[in-house]
Amino acid sequence: MADHVQSLAQLENLCKQLYETTDTATRLQAEKALVEFTNSPDCLSKCQLLLERGSSSYSQLLAATCLTKLISRTNNPLPLEQRIDIRNYVLNYLATRPKLATFVTQALIQLYARITKLGWFDCQKDDYVFRNAITDVTRFLQADTTHPLTKHRKIASSFRDSSLFDIFTLSCNLLKQASGKNLNLNDESQHGLLMQLLKLTHNCLNFDFIGTSTDESSDDLCTVQIPTSWRSAFLDASTLQLFFDLYHSIPPSFSPLVLSCLVQIASVRRSLFNNAERAKFLSHLVDGVKRILENPQSLSDPNNYHEFCRLLARLKSNYQLGELVKVENYPEVIRLIANFTVTSLQHWEFAPNSVHYLLSLWQRLAASVPYVKATEPHMLETYTPEVTKAYITSRLESVHIILRDGLEDPLEDTGLVQQQLDQLSTIGRCEYEKTCALLVQLFDQSAQSYQELLQSASASPMDIAVQEGRLTWLVYIIGAVIGGRVSFASTDEQDAMDGELVCRVLQLMNLTDSRLAQAGNEKLELAMLSFFEQFRKIYIGDQVQKSSKLYRRLSEVLGLNDETMVLSVFIGKIITNLKYWGRCEPITSKTLQLLNDLSIGYSSVRKLVKLSAVQFMLNNHTSEHFSFLGINNQSNLTDMRCRTTFYTALGRLLMVDLGEDEDQYEQFMLPLTAAFEAVAQMFSTNTFNEQEAKRTLVGLVRDLRGIAFAFNAKTSFMMLFEWIYPSYMPILQRAIELWYHDPACTTPVLKLMAELVHNRSQRLQFDVSSPNGILLFRETSKMITMYGNRVLTLGEVPKDQVYALKLKGVSICFSMLKAALSGSYVNFGVFRLYGDDALDNALQTFIKLLLSIPHSDLLDYPKLSQSYYSLLEVLTQDHMNFIASLEPHVIMYILSSISEGLTALDTMVCTGCCSCLDHIVTYLFKQLSRSTKKRTTPLSQESDRFLHIMQQHPEMIQQMLSTVLNIIIFEDCRNQWSMSRPLLGLILLNEKYFSDLRNSIVNSQPPEKQQAMHLCFENLMEGIERNLLTKNRDRFTQNLSAFRREVNDSMKNSTYGVNSNDMMS
């Protein structure tokens, strides 16, 4: 270990620097030294010393964090006795030092929870030593404070089955006692106790019962999977009543937690009750909600208000409208909820994030109207228009106040606005006549005022801004309600109403476009683009009935008789935006996205090509006409991304009539040819303007990538290939050589190359006599080798920049190599045959790049994971001889990466790893089989070495066998078929280890279950032969499905059950 972390005093000083200093360099240095300390061999003993003798809280935190890391490591885990000692030490330490800093206590509790979780199935003398958690904790916590385990971890199902319901019952009983007493909540300890008790109850209800809550942000879809054994608590009306009574009786500071508990109770899975029980439960729930609405004083607190809105949303997400209307007080409750919603929407500045839940409730109610079969009236035709009106009018009224007081404009948060508009699109379609009448009235008022203000010489900019703001909201809302049209539910009358709204927006567009030379409003333009996108989705394309009443109205008012004329309006708007808003990135990118979407449809693209405006674009795609194509020194290089979208659309439009017309293609490519020649000219002189060269090249390769993506037919792609190769390839190689350290330049060039080698739609089909496939791979290899070797010279890259500066480019190189290797247009055997080192260079560069990346980074960066594992899949499938020839440490690195990938959260990565492992295991098995047979041809040198390495390190393959088997038995295995393919080979290569593993799993079961588990394993291998033929594999896959089912059934009823993923019966 380095000298500078020898003594405790130095360690404490480093901790202080890490957590307190404001100097970044000092903090990074301290962090580096402490990372070194955590990886040192005497870290464990030093951690104990820090806890014993450390004088600062920071050193205690470091010790707790380091110990948690040591406990959690999968390779070289700590022995059982050592973990028991650490567990006992931590408990004693917590018990004897009540005055620890809160963050230290939390870190130690997390350490204790981690030890307990990871050791849940560890036995010592037939005793599950880590399962007496409740006894340990209550020894000094006296069972009246929150249980930390429920807060910090997802516990195995045996904890759920054996302890959790008791904790929930205890917490409810304690809450009942507390609500019956006159607690002095000014007393800090009593206040804290009640708060912790509510948190404990909430954590019980929020427990991940079936191990599926990977994304806790999507709470509006949540169903609480309460086990069947808890039924009694929820059938007892007093449980629900307890929380409603608590809400009304305790101070507002506690109420949000009480409401959170009610949100969870309202979300219990429907199958917990039969129909009669559910109706009764819902009735009690609705009564409680009604009581809160009748006494809304506490809702003035934003936290209470937010939780109550979530509770209202759960009423519809978990119950059907047909069930709600049968509740005794439904008419009164729906009236109260409607009034509450209208009031909330009118006070738009209060708790804006809670509005989502209210709109979600009304969206679900409105969407259910066509399906409700109950005879009782739902009364939504009365109240939904009120909600729609309140939303629309409140947004319009907010404009003046926001501008007057300089408040934050909600329109700037486009994500939030879009979410609310999606909800409104369904709500507004209920009683659509009223929605349209309101929108027409409000739009006409604002448009008329706006026109008058524009014609008036004395109009104040403030008044104009207010009307523009109101019109922006109206255009967004009109787009949303048109987008809410459902084909089977809409009538001719509704289509005619859509026509009325569309006419008004198009008339407004004509007015605003005529003023763009003087002034424009960015937010209004973005609203127009949102409207066009919704209009395109509903009324333009192959699926739309052209006899729609909407077109009749457009024809009467604007003279637009059919889809072609409407498309000409779209293209006109697109060209106008690109002309006037070329410097505004949000408008440019959304405009180009609209053009791109229009270019995808089969019929619409053919109509578009006939328009003179489109022909103008195809013949004049230069910066003179479209300013965003210019090389503007003020803009960022990354702002050129939208050029790819533009050229993808142009490429599709060009392809419609291109055929084999090379003259037309060359004419189209003239501006790009000129750009390439300009860059070549610059590169040929030693002194050139680097910024200008970079901008020209980056813009050019982004344009080309768009064209290459669009050209997915052989004839057109060959024209592009012959245009770029060999003339312009050296320029791309030179750019990589010069600017390898600047990702803003290298990323677009590498992405273009990756697109060129991608055999999309079998477009890369060279003639029998053509060497172009091999020549293209040579260029690919040259680029990967040049970039790889140069990027490795960058040395140590700071952690926060490593992806941008290095890993992103490496990831694209991996994707490029994968696309080339799997494109089926190159016979890779010829390279070695003719002494061409292109393949070897590319593969060796891949290995060098791979070894420069830590294992953790391979899984931490999703794009890198996917490109690496998909490349590895191709290499293990087609180039196993290369893998077998690698150095032992490289082979172990690759195998380790596969082993870690097997447990990745990304299913694609996990499936790719299974495939890689299958190829490796199959190769090994074949070579072993050959080596045991008497043959005249000996094994190749690579195969022999590979077998030797595997025999030297059997633990790696054994560990993967254990991992795969554990995932299949104990986890929610989403890709069982993929997992089954390598498993048979792993078993056949490690029969003795598999036998030991099987015995250990059987013995870990309670005695009465062992026979059943043993039988499951017997059935798994029944009829399986010692070979890896397809027929034998398929038989094994079938056996494995039955095996998993039987094992789950066997463990489901066990009190020791280890599968935390089964649904309750």
Side-chain angles (χ1 to χ4, degrees), residues 264-304:
Q264 294 303 102
I265 294 170
S267 311
V268 294
R269 62 187 173 97
R270 292 174 56 80
S271 51
L272 193 67
F273 309 111
N274 62 33
N275 287 350
E277 290 164 349
R278 194 181 310 111
K280 191 176 172 187
F281 182 79
L282 181 59
S283 179
H284 288 304
L285 189 60
V286 170
D287 280 346
V289 167
K290 176 172 172 272
R291 191 173 152 205
I292 292 175
L293 285 166
E294 286 170 341
N295 303 281
Q297 299 81 355
S298 298
L299 296 177
S300 56
D301 174 76
N303 293 328
N304 275 344

Short mmCIF file of all heavy atoms in Angstrom, two decimals, residues 264-304:
data_model
loop_
_atom_site.label_atom_id
_atom_site.label_comp_id
_atom_site.label_asym_id
_atom_site.label_seq_id
_atom_site.Cartn_x
_atom_site.Cartn_y
_atom_site.Cartn_z
N GLN A 264 -51.35 3.14 -0.78
CA GLN A 264 -50.94 1.73 -0.94
C GLN A 264 -52.11 0.79 -0.66
O GLN A 264 -52.31 -0.19 -1.37
CB GLN A 264 -49.78 1.40 0.00
CG GLN A 264 -48.48 2.14 -0.31
CD GLN A 264 -47.99 1.89 -1.72
OE1 GLN A 264 -48.16 2.73 -2.60
NE2 GLN A 264 -47.41 0.74 -1.96
N ILE A 265 -52.90 1.10 0.38
CA ILE A 265 -54.04 0.23 0.71
C ILE A 265 -55.06 0.24 -0.43
O ILE A 265 -55.65 -0.78 -0.77
CB ILE A 265 -54.68 0.68 2.05
CG1 ILE A 265 -53.69 0.44 3.20
CG2 ILE A 265 -55.99 -0.06 2.31
CD1 ILE A 265 -54.10 1.04 4.53
N ALA A 266 -55.25 1.43 -1.04
CA ALA A 266 -56.21 1.53 -2.15
C ALA A 266 -55.75 0.75 -3.37
O ALA A 266 -56.53 0.46 -4.26
CB ALA A 266 -56.40 3.00 -2.52
N SER A 267 -54.44 0.40 -3.39
CA SER A 267 -53.87 -0.25 -4.58
C SER A 267 -53.69 -1.75 -4.41
O SER A 267 -53.01 -2.37 -5.23
CB SER A 267 -52.51 0.37 -4.90
OG SER A 267 -52.61 1.77 -4.90
N VAL A 268 -54.24 -2.33 -3.36
CA VAL A 268 -54.04 -3.78 -3.18
C VAL A 268 -54.62 -4.52 -4.38
O VAL A 268 -55.63 -4.09 -4.95
CB VAL A 268 -54.67 -4.32 -1.87
CG1 VAL A 268 -53.99 -3.75 -0.66
CG2 VAL A 268 -56.16 -4.07 -1.82
N ARG A 269 -53.96 -5.60 -4.75
CA ARG A 269 -54.35 -6.32 -5.98
C ARG A 269 -55.83 -6.72 -5.91
O ARG A 269 -56.34 -7.13 -4.85
CB ARG A 269 -53.46 -7.53 -6.19
CG ARG A 269 -53.52 -8.58 -5.10
CD ARG A 269 -52.47 -9.66 -5.32
NE ARG A 269 -52.42 -10.58 -4.19
CZ ARG A 269 -53.03 -11.74 -4.13
NH1 ARG A 269 -53.78 -12.14 -5.14
NH2 ARG A 269 -52.93 -12.51 -3.06
N ARG A 270 -56.49 -6.63 -7.04
CA ARG A 270 -57.94 -6.91 -7.12
C ARG A 270 -58.25 -8.34 -6.71
O ARG A 270 -59.27 -8.62 -6.08
CB ARG A 270 -58.42 -6.68 -8.55
CG ARG A 270 -58.39 -5.24 -9.02
CD ARG A 270 -58.74 -5.12 -10.49
NE ARG A 270 -60.03 -5.70 -10.80
CZ ARG A 270 -61.21 -5.11 -10.60
NH1 ARG A 270 -61.24 -3.89 -10.09
NH2 ARG A 270 -62.34 -5.72 -10.91
N SER A 271 -57.34 -9.28 -7.04
CA SER A 271 -57.63 -10.70 -6.80
C SER A 271 -57.58 -11.07 -5.32
O SER A 271 -57.88 -12.21 -4.96
CB SER A 271 -56.65 -11.57 -7.59
OG SER A 271 -55.32 -11.15 -7.32
N LEU A 272 -57.24 -10.11 -4.46
CA LEU A 272 -57.26 -10.41 -3.02
C LEU A 272 -58.69 -10.60 -2.52
O LEU A 272 -58.94 -11.29 -1.54
CB LEU A 272 -56.58 -9.25 -2.25
CG LEU A 272 -56.23 -9.51 -0.79
CD1 LEU A 272 -55.14 -10.57 -0.67
CD2 LEU A 272 -55.78 -8.23 -0.10
N PHE A 273 -59.66 -9.97 -3.22
CA PHE A 273 -61.08 -10.02 -2.80
C PHE A 273 -61.92 -10.76 -3.83
O PHE A 273 -61.57 -10.80 -5.02
CB PHE A 273 -61.66 -8.60 -2.70
CG PHE A 273 -60.84 -7.64 -1.88
CD1 PHE A 273 -60.18 -6.57 -2.48
CD2 PHE A 273 -60.75 -7.79 -0.50
CE1 PHE A 273 -59.43 -5.69 -1.73
CE2 PHE A 273 -60.01 -6.89 0.26
CZ PHE A 273 -59.35 -5.84 -0.35
N ASN A 274 -63.08 -11.28 -3.38
CA ASN A 274 -64.09 -11.66 -4.37
C ASN A 274 -64.92 -10.40 -4.68
O ASN A 274 -64.70 -9.34 -4.07
CB ASN A 274 -64.95 -12.83 -3.89
CG ASN A 274 -65.74 -12.48 -2.62
OD1 ASN A 274 -66.15 -11.33 -2.44
ND2 ASN A 274 -65.95 -13.46 -1.75
N ASN A 275 -65.89 -10.49 -5.60
CA ASN A 275 -66.59 -9.28 -6.06
C ASN A 275 -67.32 -8.56 -4.93
O ASN A 275 -67.28 -7.34 -4.83
CB ASN A 275 -67.59 -9.65 -7.17
CG ASN A 275 -66.85 -9.97 -8.46
OD1 ASN A 275 -65.65 -9.74 -8.55
ND2 ASN A 275 -67.55 -10.49 -9.45
N ALA A 276 -67.98 -9.34 -4.06
CA ALA A 276 -68.76 -8.72 -2.96
C ALA A 276 -67.81 -8.02 -1.99
O ALA A 276 -68.07 -6.90 -1.53
CB ALA A 276 -69.58 -9.79 -2.25
N GLU A 277 -66.69 -8.69 -1.67
CA GLU A 277 -65.73 -8.10 -0.73
C GLU A 277 -65.10 -6.83 -1.31
O GLU A 277 -64.91 -5.84 -0.61
CB GLU A 277 -64.61 -9.12 -0.43
CG GLU A 277 -65.07 -10.31 0.40
CD GLU A 277 -64.07 -11.48 0.36
OE1 GLU A 277 -63.13 -11.46 -0.47
OE2 GLU A 277 -64.25 -12.42 1.16
N ARG A 278 -64.83 -6.88 -2.62
CA ARG A 278 -64.22 -5.71 -3.25
C ARG A 278 -65.19 -4.53 -3.23
O ARG A 278 -64.80 -3.38 -2.98
CB ARG A 278 -63.79 -6.03 -4.68
CG ARG A 278 -62.86 -4.98 -5.28
CD ARG A 278 -62.43 -5.24 -6.71
NE ARG A 278 -61.93 -6.58 -6.89
CZ ARG A 278 -62.56 -7.52 -7.58
NH1 ARG A 278 -63.70 -7.25 -8.20
NH2 ARG A 278 -62.05 -8.73 -7.70
N ALA A 279 -66.46 -4.79 -3.50
CA ALA A 279 -67.46 -3.72 -3.50
C ALA A 279 -67.55 -3.08 -2.11
O ALA A 279 -67.63 -1.85 -1.98
CB ALA A 279 -68.82 -4.29 -3.91
N LYS A 280 -67.50 -3.91 -1.08
CA LYS A 280 -67.58 -3.41 0.30
C LYS A 280 -66.34 -2.57 0.64
O LYS A 280 -66.44 -1.48 1.22
CB LYS A 280 -67.69 -4.62 1.26
CG LYS A 280 -68.05 -4.26 2.68
CD LYS A 280 -68.22 -5.55 3.50
CE LYS A 280 -68.39 -5.22 4.97
NZ LYS A 280 -68.40 -6.42 5.80
N PHE A 281 -65.17 -3.09 0.25
CA PHE A 281 -63.90 -2.39 0.51
C PHE A 281 -63.90 -1.03 -0.20
O PHE A 281 -63.55 -0.01 0.37
CB PHE A 281 -62.74 -3.27 0.01
CG PHE A 281 -61.37 -2.69 0.25
CD1 PHE A 281 -60.77 -2.77 1.50
CD2 PHE A 281 -60.67 -2.06 -0.78
CE1 PHE A 281 -59.50 -2.24 1.72
CE2 PHE A 281 -59.40 -1.52 -0.56
CZ PHE A 281 -58.82 -1.62 0.70
N LEU A 282 -64.34 -1.04 -1.47
CA LEU A 282 -64.38 0.20 -2.26
C LEU A 282 -65.34 1.20 -1.65
O LEU A 282 -65.06 2.40 -1.62
CB LEU A 282 -64.78 -0.13 -3.71
CG LEU A 282 -64.85 1.05 -4.69
CD1 LEU A 282 -63.52 1.76 -4.80
CD2 LEU A 282 -65.30 0.57 -6.08
N SER A 283 -66.44 0.70 -1.14
CA SER A 283 -67.44 1.58 -0.51
C SER A 283 -66.82 2.32 0.69
O SER A 283 -66.99 3.53 0.85
CB SER A 283 -68.63 0.73 -0.08
OG SER A 283 -69.58 1.55 0.54
N HIS A 284 -66.08 1.57 1.53
CA HIS A 284 -65.41 2.20 2.69
C HIS A 284 -64.37 3.22 2.22
O HIS A 284 -64.24 4.30 2.80
CB HIS A 284 -64.71 1.14 3.54
CG HIS A 284 -65.65 0.28 4.33
ND1 HIS A 284 -66.59 0.79 5.22
CD2 HIS A 284 -65.82 -1.08 4.37
CE1 HIS A 284 -67.28 -0.19 5.76
NE2 HIS A 284 -66.84 -1.34 5.26
N LEU A 285 -63.65 2.86 1.15
CA LEU A 285 -62.60 3.74 0.62
C LEU A 285 -63.21 5.04 0.11
O LEU A 285 -62.74 6.15 0.42
CB LEU A 285 -61.87 3.00 -0.52
CG LEU A 285 -60.61 3.64 -1.10
CD1 LEU A 285 -59.54 3.79 -0.02
CD2 LEU A 285 -60.06 2.77 -2.23
N VAL A 286 -64.29 4.93 -0.65
CA VAL A 286 -64.95 6.12 -1.22
C VAL A 286 -65.54 6.99 -0.11
O VAL A 286 -65.49 8.22 -0.17
CB VAL A 286 -66.01 5.68 -2.26
CG1 VAL A 286 -66.89 6.85 -2.68
CG2 VAL A 286 -65.34 5.08 -3.49
N ASP A 287 -66.09 6.34 0.92
CA ASP A 287 -66.62 7.11 2.07
C ASP A 287 -65.52 7.94 2.72
O ASP A 287 -65.73 9.11 3.08
CB ASP A 287 -67.21 6.15 3.13
CG ASP A 287 -68.61 5.70 2.73
OD1 ASP A 287 -69.20 6.32 1.82
OD2 ASP A 287 -69.13 4.73 3.32
N GLY A 288 -64.34 7.32 2.87
CA GLY A 288 -63.20 8.03 3.48
C GLY A 288 -62.77 9.21 2.63
O GLY A 288 -62.48 10.30 3.15
N VAL A 289 -62.74 9.01 1.30
CA VAL A 289 -62.36 10.09 0.38
C VAL A 289 -63.38 11.23 0.47
O VAL A 289 -63.03 12.41 0.50
CB VAL A 289 -62.26 9.54 -1.07
CG1 VAL A 289 -62.20 10.67 -2.08
CG2 VAL A 289 -61.05 8.63 -1.21
N LYS A 290 -64.67 10.85 0.53
CA LYS A 290 -65.75 11.85 0.62
C LYS A 290 -65.58 12.69 1.88
O LYS A 290 -65.71 13.92 1.86
CB LYS A 290 -67.09 11.11 0.63
CG LYS A 290 -68.32 12.00 0.81
CD LYS A 290 -69.59 11.18 0.60
CE LYS A 290 -70.83 11.99 0.96
NZ LYS A 290 -71.20 11.89 2.36
N ARG A 291 -65.21 12.02 2.98
CA ARG A 291 -65.06 12.74 4.25
C ARG A 291 -63.91 13.75 4.17
O ARG A 291 -64.01 14.87 4.67
CB ARG A 291 -64.78 11.70 5.35
CG ARG A 291 -64.86 12.25 6.75
CD ARG A 291 -64.75 11.10 7.74
NE ARG A 291 -64.18 11.52 9.00
CZ ARG A 291 -63.54 10.73 9.85
NH1 ARG A 291 -63.39 9.44 9.54
NH2 ARG A 291 -63.05 11.17 10.97
N ILE A 292 -62.83 13.37 3.47
CA ILE A 292 -61.70 14.30 3.32
C ILE A 292 -62.11 15.49 2.45
O ILE A 292 -61.79 16.65 2.75
CB ILE A 292 -60.47 13.58 2.70
CG1 ILE A 292 -59.91 12.54 3.68
CG2 ILE A 292 -59.38 14.58 2.32
CD1 ILE A 292 -58.78 11.68 3.13
N LEU A 293 -62.88 15.21 1.38
CA LEU A 293 -63.31 16.30 0.48
C LEU A 293 -64.28 17.25 1.17
O LEU A 293 -64.34 18.43 0.84
CB LEU A 293 -63.96 15.70 -0.78
CG LEU A 293 -62.98 15.09 -1.80
CD1 LEU A 293 -63.73 14.25 -2.82
CD2 LEU A 293 -62.18 16.19 -2.51
N GLU A 294 -65.05 16.72 2.12
CA GLU A 294 -66.01 17.58 2.85
C GLU A 294 -65.31 18.43 3.91
O GLU A 294 -65.84 19.44 4.35
CB GLU A 294 -67.09 16.70 3.49
CG GLU A 294 -68.08 16.15 2.46
CD GLU A 294 -69.02 15.08 3.03
OE1 GLU A 294 -68.71 14.51 4.10
OE2 GLU A 294 -70.05 14.83 2.41
N ASN A 295 -64.11 17.98 4.32
CA ASN A 295 -63.34 18.75 5.31
C ASN A 295 -61.92 18.98 4.76
O ASN A 295 -60.95 18.38 5.22
CB ASN A 295 -63.23 17.97 6.63
CG ASN A 295 -64.60 17.62 7.18
OD1 ASN A 295 -65.26 18.46 7.78
ND2 ASN A 295 -65.02 16.38 6.96
N PRO A 296 -61.81 19.86 3.74
CA PRO A 296 -60.54 19.93 2.99
C PRO A 296 -59.47 20.83 3.60
O PRO A 296 -58.50 21.13 2.93
CB PRO A 296 -61.00 20.49 1.64
CG PRO A 296 -62.18 21.34 1.98
CD PRO A 296 -62.82 20.76 3.20
N GLN A 297 -59.63 21.23 4.89
CA GLN A 297 -58.70 22.21 5.45
C GLN A 297 -57.24 21.78 5.33
O GLN A 297 -56.38 22.56 4.94
CB GLN A 297 -59.02 22.48 6.94
CG GLN A 297 -60.40 23.04 7.21
CD GLN A 297 -61.50 21.96 7.22
OE1 GLN A 297 -61.25 20.79 6.95
NE2 GLN A 297 -62.72 22.37 7.54
N SER A 298 -56.96 20.51 5.66
CA SER A 298 -55.55 20.04 5.67
C SER A 298 -54.94 20.00 4.27
O SER A 298 -53.72 19.92 4.13
CB SER A 298 -55.45 18.65 6.28
OG SER A 298 -55.88 18.68 7.61
N LEU A 299 -55.79 20.04 3.23
CA LEU A 299 -55.26 19.92 1.87
C LEU A 299 -54.55 21.19 1.41
O LEU A 299 -53.97 21.22 0.32
CB LEU A 299 -56.39 19.56 0.89
CG LEU A 299 -57.04 18.19 1.11
CD1 LEU A 299 -58.18 17.96 0.13
CD2 LEU A 299 -56.02 17.06 0.99
N SER A 300 -54.59 22.23 2.22
CA SER A 300 -53.85 23.44 1.85
C SER A 300 -52.34 23.21 1.97
O SER A 300 -51.55 23.96 1.43
CB SER A 300 -54.27 24.62 2.73
OG SER A 300 -54.07 24.25 4.09
N ASP A 301 -51.95 22.13 2.69
CA ASP A 301 -50.54 21.76 2.76
C ASP A 301 -50.16 21.04 1.46
O ASP A 301 -50.80 20.04 1.10
CB ASP A 301 -50.31 20.83 3.96
CG ASP A 301 -48.89 20.31 4.00
OD1 ASP A 301 -48.00 21.08 4.39
OD2 ASP A 301 -48.66 19.14 3.64
N PRO A 302 -49.14 21.52 0.71
CA PRO A 302 -48.82 20.92 -0.60
C PRO A 302 -48.55 19.42 -0.55
O PRO A 302 -48.92 18.68 -1.45
CB PRO A 302 -47.57 21.69 -1.06
CG PRO A 302 -47.59 22.96 -0.29
CD PRO A 302 -48.26 22.67 1.01
N ASN A 303 -47.88 18.94 0.53
CA ASN A 303 -47.58 17.50 0.62
C ASN A 303 -48.85 16.68 0.78
O ASN A 303 -49.01 15.62 0.17
CB ASN A 303 -46.63 17.23 1.78
CG ASN A 303 -45.26 17.83 1.54
OD1 ASN A 303 -44.83 17.91 0.39
ND2 ASN A 303 -44.60 18.27 2.59
N ASN A 304 -49.77 17.18 1.64
CA ASN A 304 -51.06 16.49 1.80
C ASN A 304 -51.83 16.47 0.49
O ASN A 304 -52.40 15.45 0.09
CB ASN A 304 -51.92 17.23 2.84
CG ASN A 304 -51.59 16.78 4.24
OD1 ASN A 304 -50.97 15.75 4.42
ND2 ASN A 304 -52.00 17.55 5.23
#
